Amino acid sequence: MSDFDAIVVGAGCAGSVAAYTLAKAGKSVLMVERGNFAGAKNMTGGRIYAHSLKKVFPNFEKEAPVERRIMRERISLLDPTSNFTIGFASEAMAQEGKDSYSVLFGPFDQWLAEQAEDAGAEVICGIPVEDLVMDGSRVLGVVAGEDELTADITILADGVNSLLTPKAVGAPTPKPSEMAVGVKELIELPAEVIEDRLLCGPGEGAAWLFAGDSTKGHIGGGFMYTNKSSISLGLVATLSDLVTAKTTIYQMMEDFKQHPEVAALIRGGKLVEYSGHMVSEGGYHMIPRLVGDGCLVAGDAGMLCMNLGYCVRGMDFAVASGQLAAQAAIEAMDRKDFSASSLNRYMELLESSFVLRDMRQYQRFPHFMESTKRIFNGYPALVRDIFNGMFVVDGEPQPPLKKKVLGSVKEVGLMNILKDVRGGMKAL
């Protein structure tokens, strides 16, 4: 007789949603979180697309501690002396199910864990799960502290650095080219200042992605999300490229903050939090087995994250995978069959959802980014030269604009540009 119907490891988005769904169905659930509270080990803030969470909590935006509804998008190519930005705003971003919100993970993860606890799940924080209870290849539970706790099904949602998935499902060690390191700062600013600088209405916010000089031409980029009275600002850089860099990620961050475009944004702000984290960047091809005997893997532990350059998604994948893992577990409990073949219902649910469909759709993009370094160290300078030629007037006779543009294009190479455009179109 097992101690619980299910044990969930990790109280992030995936874990808390899984525990909530199981508890709401009347199952006995234990959720174990190594941090002193849910969200204690998470990064400061990010963005959640509402569609998946609304399926679990239909009115979450009125109940959860969200920060701002994102109503403006910006994408920038940074050169050390210039910035080219595309801005976009749309009423569609405010439509229910199509909206997204900035969040601070500390309070947001705590709220999710509280929902699971209120539904009947038992939540224990401050205890790391160091090992699994195994019977051959079957997972029977976890080793938490000095205790062995057993369950019919164990759901691993313990993040990208999971130490349990290799033992549970044979997850391989990710390649350096598939992983990135992220650093993030939380910078306090008055709400009115944030709204004025980002051209946002009260309660509205913006998301901003950067490429180029943000990571000194290395693979990766910068990001910014507006909160109620702070800005989440950070960088992500691929490990395989970072090891060859002549600088460090934290020095990149300091230089990024000094860029004129960013410095103007955070001027007068107060740094209140700093954090670092590993991020999966390999996309569909680095997803490990997500099902084992008595075990399911969800969220970042399953490498369910996608960075498309113009859009970064992970939280909506985590929420959906947590819910679907719980659904598959409930069905297996009703059948009293906890084998991998029974739990493979989870894969069927993922395959029919947006999670694996989207991951598969864009499976070529990580390789495209890795193999097209001109995005980071060539095109920002090209754009700078083209627009300097258009907008800088110095009193000297001006050559034809076509000649200026072609001169800049030759620096990169017309065939290189065409090759990159073709590769990008195929990847997207």
Side-chain angles (χ1 to χ4, degrees):
M1 183 72 177
S2 298
D3 298 319
F4 299 91
D5 292 328
I7 293 176
V8 179
V9 183
C13 289
S16 288
V17 167
Y20 170 83
T21 305
L22 285 158
K24 193 176 179 183
K27 307 302 181 183
S28 62
V29 188
L30 171 68
M31 181 164 65
V32 186
E33 164 59 38
R34 64 174 177 160
N36 291 329
F37 55 87
K41 296 291 186 180
N42 218 329
M43 296 274 284
T44 48
R47 175 186 194 173
I48 183 166
Y49 292 92
H51 63 96
S52 58
L53 197 57
K54 288 190 75 68
K55 293 178 181 177
V56 186
F57 305 106
N59 298 310
F60 85 91
E61 68 272 26
K62 298 176 183 178
E63 303 166 359
V66 297
E67 294 293 308
R68 290 177 180 267
R69 183 169 62 184
I70 303 300
M71 293 296 294
R72 292 183 177 273
E73 304 277 0
R74 291 184 180 180
I75 301 174
S76 288
L77 283 178
L78 292 185
D79 175 83
T81 61
S82 69
N83 167 52
F84 174 76
T85 296
I86 298 173
F88 180 72
S90 169
E91 292 182 359
M93 294 180 181
Q95 295 177 13
E96 187 171 0
K98 298 180 180 179
D99 47 351
S100 64
Y101 297 84
S102 57
V103 297
L104 295 174
F105 286 123
F108 187 74
D109 283 358
Q110 289 176 62
W111 179 83
L112 280 176
E114 287 168 3
Q115 305 315 299
E117 196 165 22
D118 290 345
E122 185 175 342
V123 180
I124 299 178
C125 296
I127 299 178
V129 174
E130 299 173 340
D131 203 354
L132 297 171
V133 180
M134 304 284 291
D135 180 9
S137 63
R138 182 184 171 188
V139 178
L140 298 177
V142 302
V143 179
E146 298 179 355
D147 299 320
E148 286 192 358
L149 303 168
T150 59
D152 294 329
I153 297 174
T154 301
I155 297 178
L156 302 180
D158 51 333
V160 70
N161 290 326
S162 174
L163 300 178
L164 304 176
T165 54
K167 186 170 185 177
V169 295
T173 302
K175 301 174 184 176
S177 61
E178 295 176 328
M179 298 296 291
V181 59
V183 293
K184 188 184 298 183
E185 293 186 0
L186 191 67
I187 300 172
E188 274 189 355
L189 282 169
E192 298 80 5
V193 172
I194 293 172
E195 290 160 4
D196 288 347
R197 291 180 183 177
L198 276 303
L199 305 178
C200 295
E204 296 179 352
W208 196 344
L209 299 179
F210 304 82
D213 191 57
S214 52
T215 51
K216 300 300 180 184
H218 292 278
I219 300 171
F223 57 87
M224 185 283 307
Y225 301 108
T226 54
N227 307 309
K228 288 179 180 177
S229 56
S230 63
I231 283 175
S232 296
L233 183 73
L235 295 176
V236 175
T238 302
L239 285 180
S240 59
D241 200 39
L242 191 60
V243 295
T244 66
K246 296 181 180 179
T247 185
T248 60
I249 186 69
Y250 50 85
Q251 186 59 53
M252 287 181 185
M253 184 66 180
E254 289 303 310
D255 293 343
F256 179 49
K257 289 163 60 181
Q258 297 302 315
H259 191 282
E261 192 73 20
V262 180
L265 174 66
I266 63 175
R267 185 176 61 249
K270 177 184 177 182
L271 175 63
V272 295
E273 187 176 343
Y274 180 93
S275 53
H277 198 57
M278 297 299 294
V279 182
S280 60
E281 293 272 290
Y284 180 77
H285 292 294
M286 72 176 301
I287 299 175
R289 283 177 55 214
L290 301 178
V291 177
D293 289 325
C295 179
L296 297 170
V297 183
D300 280 350
M303 306 299 172
L304 299 176
C305 182
M306 186 168 68
N307 183 354
L308 299 178
Y310 65 88
C311 172
V312 179
R313 294 171 60 187
M315 292 180 71
D316 59 331
F317 291 154
V319 169
S321 63
Q323 182 190 24
L324 297 179
Q327 182 179 333
I330 292 167
E331 294 179 15
M333 291 172 191
D334 292 342
R335 290 190 297 269
K336 300 188 185 303
D337 183 354
F338 313 115
S339 65
S341 60
S342 174
L343 290 172
N344 203 55
R345 170 65 173 155
Y346 176 44
M347 294 306 299
E348 295 176 2
L349 294 169
L350 286 175
E351 290 283 1
S352 62
S353 76
F354 70 91
V355 178
L356 288 186
R357 286 184 176 183
D358 285 357
M359 294 285 289
R360 185 179 293 107
Q361 175 66 40
Y362 298 107
Q363 61 183 294
R364 296 179 179 178
F365 194 75
H367 175 71
F368 169 73
M369 294 284 281
E370 183 183 352
S371 60
T372 315
K373 293 195 68 173
R374 281 182 289 270
I375 295 173
F376 310 99
N377 59 23
Y379 291 129
L382 170 63
V383 171
R384 174 203 64 202
D385 293 342
I386 289 174
F387 284 95
N388 275 344
M390 292 173 61
F391 297 123
V392 175
V393 178
D394 59 4
E396 294 294 324
Q398 295 289 302
L401 180 59
K402 179 175 68 174
K403 185 175 181 180
K404 293 181 183 179
V405 171
L406 288 177
S408 300
V409 166
K410 288 179 180 178
E411 291 292 324
V412 176
L414 180 59
M415 293 306 297
N416 285 332
I417 295 174
L418 293 175
K419 175 186 174 183
D420 293 345
V421 169
R422 183 173 180 270
M425 293 298 292
K426 290 177 67 176
L428 293 173

